[in-house]
Amino acid sequence: MGTDHDMNRPLDEAQPEGAQPEGARPLDGITVIDLSRVLAGPLCGQMLADHGADVIKVEPPNGDDTRTWGPPFLPDGSGAYFSGLNRSKHNVSLDLRTDAGIEVLETLLADADVLVENFKAGTLAKWGLTDDVIAERYPRLVHCRITGFGTDGPLGGAPGYDAVLQAYGALMSVNGEAAGPPTRVGVPIVDMMTGYLSFSGILLALRERDRSGRGQLVDATLLDSAIAMLHPHSANLLNGGTEPVRMGSAHSNVAPYDVYDVADGQFFLAVGNDRQFRSFAGLIGLPELADDPRFLTNADRVQNYPELKEILADKLKALDRETLGKDLLSLGVPGGPVHLVSQALDDPQVRHRGMVIEDGDYRGIGNPVKLGRTPAGFRWAPRAKGADTRAVLERHGFDEERIERLTETGAAITADTADD
């Protein structure tokens, strides 16, 4: 499967300077139809595209909601939110509420390896594409379905949103200060984790297809992702522990593992074992702490953490965070300054790892999955809605007359008709 064209460039543009040749990435030759919108699905699609897959993003006539999420907005009017999740994809705009739009989609699926979608449960079935129909009509297709709670069970079919699942899945209950209310994690962590897990599931299904020749359903839910992230609280509770409580930045099983005020900001200390604690105590000029019966072992330190925190807070407040971080790391003791987003994105090690992409007018975050011989890479910036509709349809056998009929009826939207 897979369409026959150079997948390292937009369909209507020359290959960018420095682009890797076809076949250089692990997913070259894999075609993905990305019907998803907002975050989890688009992130999954972008991960696949970074690693070489030919991803065709299909947007509705009014576009992905995140095109309007801002400010800030990019010069083309799209929200920065959208830009961060949709690079290196071809863009087709179809009205799937029409029979003609569904016919186009079915043509695309016939030549695809992967379908990624996060429609409300039952939407594809309403359009005649039930799970059984997809499996029978496209036997090699890997179908990644992303939902909030799944499609069956007591909450099957219920809509899901990141913050709601942070609450429902108990992440909020363990996040925040002890005396404060449950707090949402400051990034859409459930959506993002679901995107990464969907990416992994698709790769597993493609690998299994190499043996069986058959595709299968990758059933990803926000609920499963939220519950999977409850470690170590879930492990503690399931094995005789009590209901977890909020501890701010502290850890239920390890001490000292917390944020501290220092002379020039804040510093996170993560002492993971007794050897590290002895090294740390010596470095800050309190070697006697390592032999104090209250703090002799990690279990002792967890039990007596309020007393330990008071001692450390008084000592650390006079220290410089950058110097402290370097000195601790030289001793093999984890710790580091608490950075602002701007500081993290400008950090030399972050830049060295290629986690900030700056290419022409594009600014984005790099792919965290690093392969030594066939690395992921930036291919092109997010495309305008419908920018590749005409080219994709032509490559799938649609003649000019049929394309004109689709655009005239509004079943397909091209770049020149997107705002009509």
Side-chain angles (χ1 to χ4, degrees), residues 31-167:
T31 298
V32 179
I33 306 302
D34 181 3
L35 301 183
S36 65
R37 64 272 191 223
V38 187
L39 205 169
L43 175 60
C44 173
Q46 180 169 277
M47 293 280 289
L48 295 166
D50 282 347
H51 284 282
D54 183 33
V55 179
I56 300 172
K57 181 178 177 71
V58 178
E59 289 191 66
N62 58 347
D64 189 314
D65 288 346
T66 59
R67 284 190 182 273
T68 66
W69 287 11
F73 293 100
L74 303 185
D76 68 356
S78 293
Y81 197 114
F82 176 88
S83 177
L85 300 165
N86 290 285
R87 65 171 173 258
S88 302
K89 303 177 185 180
H90 307 302
N91 193 287
V92 171
S93 184
L94 298 174
D95 189 346
L96 298 179
R97 298 167 300 180
T98 67
D99 291 341
I102 290 297
E103 289 178 10
V104 175
L105 173 61
E106 290 175 336
T107 300
L108 299 180
L109 290 177
D111 194 41
D113 300 282
V114 178
L115 166 65
V116 180
E117 53 94 2
N118 60 354
F119 290 118
K120 182 179 178 181
T123 298
L124 282 180
K126 180 178 64 178
W127 295 335
L129 293 172
T130 64
D131 289 350
D132 289 342
V133 167
I134 291 174
E136 179 180 354
R137 192 175 296 171
Y138 315 107
R140 289 178 53 82
L141 184 70
V142 172
H143 174 196
C144 179
R145 181 177 66 207
I146 300 173
T147 60
F149 294 87
T151 59
D152 52 15
L155 286 178
Y161 303 92
D162 177 90
V164 173
L165 268 300
Q166 286 197 37

Side-chain angles (χ1 to χ4, degrees), residues 173-193:
S173 76
V174 296
N175 190 53
E177 296 298 327
T183 304
R184 181 181 69 86
V185 178
V187 297
I189 192 167
V190 178
D191 270 339
M192 296 186 72
M193 178 60 73

